[in-house]
Amino acid sequence: MKIKENIENKELIVNSSTDNLSEVRTFVQAMWNSYGYDEKKGRSVVISVDEACTNIIKHAYHFDTNGIIKIKVKSKKNKFIVKITDTGSHFDPNQIPEPNIPERQKSKKGGGLGIYLMKKLMDEVKYSNKGKKNELILVKYLN
Amino acid sequence: MADFKVSSREQGQVRIIDVRGYLDAHTAPELENEFNKLIDNEQFKVVVNFNDLNYISSAGLGVFMAYVETMREHNGDIKFSNLKDDVYNIFDLLGFPVLYEFYDKEEDAIVKYNQ
């Protein structure tokens, strides 16, 4: 369940559970649509935020559903910007190497694709940690 | 709520898996269960029909990666059919079209197994 949704502030706060991914997607798509942007283009932002939150749930909170994920959206200067913060373990997606899909398949392993997909779909992926806080910024250029 | 449904049906020697709704990290385990059932029943020739699937994240693609080798080792495969453009785009971005067979129609994928 969502903890807090503040449409005016363009902010959603949820617990770190995969159960909330659909809530996250609905929120991001609604925010995108509220700017009047082309709905279809927004779908790549929606999936990227889904991937980012899935990674936080797995790698920052290690499936502990008590963690908090905060998603804040803004749009300026032809950019749509999503800031995602958590207070779990530090996890920099930019440090993860590109997956070798045929090799993973041979060893019957799934996974490892989310970050790669997120980077393909977004124009910028920036990670920083500020004290206990991890901050991930995803940017989609509008032109 | 994430809405996802998976079921499977027999089409001669081929097993068709129908996926519906939203396939993400939350719902991917349901698809894994379906593949585990097929393996238990030694059904390795699979077509996944995506006709009613609206959304897929990498967690969904990961399920196919984890099971396809087992199917191929047993003279089977996982073939895909009836994907919406948005869904196919995700497979395409990750390079799946060189690793898997994609068909417009379920029948075309079934025919491939019968050749």
Side-chain angles (χ1 to χ4, degrees), chain B residues 26-59:
Chain B
H26 191 62
T27 57
E30 293 178 47
L31 181 59
E32 286 173 2
N33 288 342
E34 198 62 43
F35 274 108
N36 286 333
K37 274 193 251 169
L38 298 191
I39 290 168
D40 287 348
N41 295 327
E42 299 187 350
Q43 293 164 312
F44 303 111
K45 293 177 177 169
V46 180
V47 175
V48 182
N49 185 323
F50 285 86
N51 196 52
D52 297 317
L53 195 84
N54 298 317
Y55 177 86
I56 192 163
S57 74
S58 70

Side-chain angles (χ1 to χ4, degrees), chain A residues 72-132:
Chain A
K72 198 167 166 65
V73 168
K74 67 177 172 184
S75 185
K76 60 172 187 183
K77 293 180 187 161
N78 285 324
K79 288 177 179 179
F80 185 82
I81 303 158
V82 187
K83 186 168 88 177
I84 306 165
T85 44
D86 68 80
T87 55
S89 314
H90 296 323
F91 176 73
D92 181 357
N94 290 317
Q95 299 300 318
I96 306 297
E98 213 171 278
N100 183 329
I101 296 175
E103 204 172 86
R104 292 187 74 87
Q105 247 175 218
K106 281 264 175 250
S107 48
K108 302 180 183 178
K109 279 185 193 148
L113 305 177
I115 292 159
Y116 182 53
L117 180 62
M118 188 169 79
K119 286 185 190 164
K120 288 225 165 210
L121 291 169
M122 300 304 289
D123 295 301
E124 293 175 32
V125 175
K126 291 181 284 194
Y127 168 85
S128 61
N129 69 65
K130 296 172 176 170
K132 282 187 173 174

